[in-house]
């Protein structure tokens, strides 16, 4: 059946997107995961991956066209099919495919429904966590309705319906970690066979085989088995067991050679829920106890009042990255302070006179990042504007300065990248930094802006921190900590003079550079900050 591919809506305020490049052309074979076309909003660029296999039958827009969101862009189907059949009346049946597609002949009624898959938000994203369902089984669904919210380890997203119908089945619950391109739910006509699209489902056989275990999904058989205790288990089954806390000592393997596969773990979980429901039904009803006054706290009496909460996916990723950083790098930190008089005066001038130039919101941190970008662009500091790759065997140098900026959010630390920061004016850098920080805090940041940095700046001076040891984001070779501004004292002409001083903490990978060049970077950065007006004039 031919299906239409629509232009995604990347954010509630995005009305249209421009097609940058077609990666497939009419007549080309298409596999699930192939890039069909690249497109961009006014803020970020994306790639649209195929979610169904077939042949590209028709292209409705060309490179450079500005396409309304949720509009049909192209059609994928079988050779010889009429591509206009799914476009009649202007309604789109979106491209979507189950991770394990059941043949139409074997899945009676499956043609009347369309599975919704978990999108892949970035090339490095393997799975996403479902935060909330906005529709439930049996609900009517219209194009554009929110089906569910989900998050990667970096940002949150909403999945909108791209076809009308009824929500027939939901395969994952809130809190589940779902592999990208896996079927999440099914929309279609009431009575259609939605179960044909359940992850790991087998096509129904023409005649049931007596007492014979159904075959395991082909792609799960192809995965190398893992060993857990005395069990051989597929990676998918292991992920499901870990996410649900399943007791594998009670699982019954049905996979080849006694392997535990995903459906075995699901059967164990289903059996546990059934048993719990039965026990709850048999339990005698108890009258609600009368409200009692809270017991008095006995001081000095041993008590365990602790409680546990699972770490968020993002927190786990941060923890893993920090451990990798500290255990694989030779990290060393140098501290230095500079006279912030000129920086402070520049900030005061921008605030007082910069409104009509759009520069009144420029911050001290913007000024520091501007100076950092210009200093890193100096040829003698290329070892800090670099990545150390291939297990420390290769230095990857960057022509431009792609500045990572640490941003504190409610969900954890995020580090968006200001690309080509060394070529920006101070206003351009400030505007870009504020936009990226806002997108991070609102969970709207594109994954493309959460990678590719050549160096990072982390500012916690607002909390009064005078010195700290920032941890490098691998594979970068350095990170600068920006500390608090405070009053310092020095002797001038026999008199004590008070001046504003700001601390800088540079952590660098000693494998990539030695202490002397690291120190020279700080010295040059200090000179640029203390002579900021000249640096700004030089551009």
């Amino acid at each position: 059946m031919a299906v239409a591919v629509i232009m995604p809506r990347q954010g509630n305020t995005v009305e249209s997107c421009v097609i940058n490049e077609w990666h497939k052309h009419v007549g080309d074979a298409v596999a699930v995961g192939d890039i069909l076309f690249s497109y961009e909003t006014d803020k970020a660029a994306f790639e649209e991956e195929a979610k169904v296999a077939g042949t590209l039958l028709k292209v409705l827009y060309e490179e450079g066209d500005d396409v309304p969101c949720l509009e049909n862009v192209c059609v994928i189907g079988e050779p010889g099919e009429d591509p206009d059949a799914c476009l009649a009346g202007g309604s789109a049946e979106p491209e979507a495919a189950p991770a394990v597609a059941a043949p139409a002949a074997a899945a009676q009624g499956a043609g009347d429904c369309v599975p919704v898959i978990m999108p892949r938000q970035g090339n490095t994203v393997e799975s996403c966590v479902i935060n909330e369902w906005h529709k439930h089984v049996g609900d009517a669904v219209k194009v554009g309705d929110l089906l569910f919210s989900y998050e990667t380890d970096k940002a949150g997203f909403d999945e909108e319906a791209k076809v009308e119908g009824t929500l027939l089945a939901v395969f994952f619950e809130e809190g589940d970690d779902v592999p990208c391109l896996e079927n999440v739910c099914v929309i279609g006509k009431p009575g259609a066979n939605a179960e044909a699209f359940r992850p790991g489902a087998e096509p129904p056989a023409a005649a049931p085989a007596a007492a014979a275990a159904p075959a395991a999904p082909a792609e799960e058989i192809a995965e190398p088995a893992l060993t857990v205790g005395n069990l051989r288990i597929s990676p998918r089954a292991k992920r499901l067991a870990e996410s649900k806390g399943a007791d594998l000592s009670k699982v019954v393997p049905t996979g080849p050679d006694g392997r535990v596969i995903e459906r075995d773990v699901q059967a164990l979980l289903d059996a546990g829920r059934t048993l719990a429901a039965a026990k709850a039904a048999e339990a005698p009803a108890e009258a609600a106890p009368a409200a009692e006054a809270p017991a008095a706290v006995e001081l000095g009496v041993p008590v365990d009042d602790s409680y546990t909460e699972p770490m968020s996916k993002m927190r786990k990723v941060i923890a893993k990255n920090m451990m990798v950083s500290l255990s694989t790098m030779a990290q060393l930190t140098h501290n230095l302070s500079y006279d912030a008089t000129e920086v402070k005066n520049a900030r005061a001038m921008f605030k007082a006179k910069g409104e009509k130039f759009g520069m009144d919101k420029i911050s001290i941190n913007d000024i520091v990042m501007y100076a950092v970008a210009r200093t890193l662009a100096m040829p003698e500091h290329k070892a800090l504007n670099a990545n150390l790759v291939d297990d420390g065997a290769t230095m990857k140098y960057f022509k431009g300065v792609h500045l990572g900026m640490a941003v504190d959010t409610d969900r954890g630390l995020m580090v968006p990248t200001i690309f080509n920061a060394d070529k920006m004016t101070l206003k351009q850098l400030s505007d870009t930094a504020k936009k990226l920080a806002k997108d991070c805090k609102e969970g709207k940041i594109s994954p493309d802006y959460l990678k590719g940095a050549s160096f990072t700046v982390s500012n916690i001076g607002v909390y009064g921190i005078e010195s700290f040891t920032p941890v490098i984001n691998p594979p970068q070779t350095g990170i600068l900590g920006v500390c608090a501004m405070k009053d310092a004292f020095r002797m001038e002409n026999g008199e004590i003079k008070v001046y504003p001083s700001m601390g800088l903490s540079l952590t660098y990978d000693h494998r990539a550079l030695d202490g002397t060049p690291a120190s020279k970077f700080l010295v040059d950065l200090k000179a640029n900050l203390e002579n900021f007006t000249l640096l700004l004039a030089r551009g």
Side-chain angles (χ1 to χ4, degrees):
M1 179 179 67
V3 293
V5 180
I6 69 172
M7 177 61 73
R9 180 156 60 193
Q10 295 290 356
N12 294 333
T13 62
V14 178
E15 298 298 331
S16 65
C17 305
V18 175
I19 295 177
N20 287 334
E21 181 182 358
W22 280 98
H23 299 272
K24 292 289 183 178
H25 303 282
V26 173
D28 286 355
V30 176
V32 174
D34 282 356
I35 296 175
L36 296 172
F37 57 90
S38 305
Y39 64 99
E40 64 178 16
T41 67
D42 59 333
K43 300 297 183 184
F46 304 88
E47 292 177 337
E48 180 66 10
E49 295 182 347
K51 303 175 183 67
V52 62
T55 299
L56 186 59
L57 301 179
K58 187 171 185 175
V59 167
L60 303 174
Y61 290 93
E62 300 177 359
E63 294 174 359
D65 286 351
D66 194 359
V67 184
C69 295
L70 306 185
E71 185 75 59
N72 296 331
V73 179
C74 61
V75 178
I76 298 173
E78 295 299 324
E81 279 192 280
D82 179 9
D84 295 325
C86 64
L87 305 175
S91 62
E93 182 170 324
E95 60 151 335
V100 184
Q108 185 175 0
D112 293 330
C113 51
V114 175
V116 178
I117 69 171
M118 178 59 75
R120 180 158 58 194
Q121 296 289 357
N123 294 333
T124 62
V125 178
E126 299 297 332
S127 64
C128 304
V129 175
I130 295 177
N131 287 333
E132 180 183 1
W133 279 99
H134 300 281
K135 293 288 185 179
H136 304 282
V137 173
D139 286 354
V141 176
K142 295 181 179 180
V143 174
D145 283 355
L146 287 184
L147 295 174
F148 57 91
S149 303
Y150 63 99
E151 65 177 15
T152 67
D153 59 318
K154 298 295 185 184
F157 303 88
D158 291 324
E159 180 65 11
E160 296 180 347
K162 302 175 183 67
V163 63
E164 292 189 359
T166 299
L167 187 59
L168 301 179
V170 167
F171 302 135
F172 294 94
E173 300 173 2
E174 293 175 359
D176 284 352
D177 193 358
V178 184
C180 295
L181 306 184
E182 186 76 90
N183 292 339
V184 178
C185 60
V186 176
I187 299 172
K189 297 179 181 179
N193 182 14
E195 287 300 310
F197 298 106
R198 180 179 292 277
E202 325 291 339
E219 79 283 3
E220 192 171 1
I221 295 175
E223 294 180 322
L226 305 174
T227 301
V228 177
N230 296 323
L231 293 174
R232 296 178 69 251
I233 184 170
S234 75
R236 290 175 61 175
K238 185 173 182 291
R239 285 197 298 268
L240 178 60
E242 290 175 345
S243 66
K244 297 296 186 180
D247 182 1
L248 290 176
S249 66
K250 300 178 181 178
V251 72
V252 178
T254 65
D257 301 321
R259 180 196 288 195
V260 176
I261 58 176
E262 187 178 34
R263 67 165 177 239
D264 302 332
V265 177
Q266 187 61 56
L268 178 65
L269 295 170
D270 292 343
R273 281 194 289 268
T274 302
L275 180 60
K279 289 182 177 179
E282 295 173 359
E286 297 182 1
E292 298 180 0
V297 176
E298 295 187 56
L299 300 180
V301 176
V303 62
D304 182 3
D305 60 354
S306 64
Y307 63 96
T308 62
E309 289 183 356
M311 291 179 71
S312 68
K313 183 178 181 182
M314 184 173 178
R315 191 72 252 165
K316 290 178 181 177
V317 170
I318 292 172
K320 179 182 177 181
N321 289 344
M322 293 301 96
M323 287 301 297
V324 168
S325 176
L326 290 171
S327 62
T328 61
M329 291 186 180
Q331 299 193 30
L332 185 64
T333 302
H334 290 188
N335 298 290
L336 174 147
S337 61
Y338 72 96
D339 183 343
T341 300
E342 193 154 335
V343 166
K344 188 176 180 181
N345 290 341
R347 170 68 184 100
M349 180 190 67
F350 295 142
K351 186 175 181 181
K353 301 179 181 181
E355 184 174 2
K356 69 177 181 179
F357 299 99
M359 299 181 69
D360 55 313
K361 301 299 184 184
I362 289 176
S363 67
I364 295 289
N365 195 53
D366 296 334
I367 293 173
V368 172
M369 289 195 296
Y370 181 90
V372 168
R374 264 37 184 201
T375 309
L376 285 171
M378 298 167 64
E380 55 265 42
H381 302 311
K382 69 175 186 177
L384 281 169
N385 190 47
N387 288 175
L388 189 55
V389 296
D390 297 335
D391 293 326
T394 304
M395 285 288 286
K396 179 182 179 181
Y397 299 105
F398 294 87
K399 295 180 180 178
V401 177
H402 310 310
L403 203 59
M405 175 185 66
V407 176
D408 181 45
T409 75
D410 292 339
R411 300 169 59 245
L413 181 69
M414 302 179 74
V415 186
T417 303
I418 304 172
F419 290 98
N420 293 310
D422 58 314
K423 298 174 179 62
M424 291 182 174
T425 65
L426 177 58
K427 183 181 184 303
Q428 289 171 334
L429 189 150
S430 176
D431 291 345
T432 302
K434 287 175 175 56
K435 174 63 171 62
L436 292 173
K438 182 175 182 289
D439 286 351
C440 284
K441 292 178 184 294
E442 294 179 355
K444 298 177 181 178
I445 188 72
S446 165
D448 293 332
Y449 285 90
L450 295 172
K451 57 186 178 181
S454 56
F455 187 86
T456 295
V457 173
S458 177
N459 187 342
I460 57 175
V462 67
Y463 302 107
I465 303 301
E466 298 179 1
S467 177
F468 68 109
T469 304
V471 179
I472 299 172
N473 289 319
Q476 296 167 36
T477 59
I479 180 172
L480 182 76
V482 181
C483 306
M485 189 179 294
K486 64 177 183 176
D487 287 340
F489 306 89
R490 63 178 171 226
M491 294 295 295
E492 286 190 6
N493 300 322
E495 295 182 356
I496 297 177
K497 182 178 179 181
V498 181
Y499 69 97
S501 173
M502 177 175 279
L504 302 172
S505 299
L506 173 69
T507 299
Y508 62 96
D509 188 343
H510 216 318
R511 298 175 303 166
L513 69 161
D514 295 325
T516 295
S519 299
K520 287 181 177 178
F521 168 78
L522 279 177
V523 170
D524 286 344
L525 177 58
K526 173 179 177 175
N528 282 335
L529 287 166
E530 290 183 341
N531 298 279
F532 182 71
T533 304
L534 293 176
L535 177 68
L536 200 59
R538 188 175 65 188

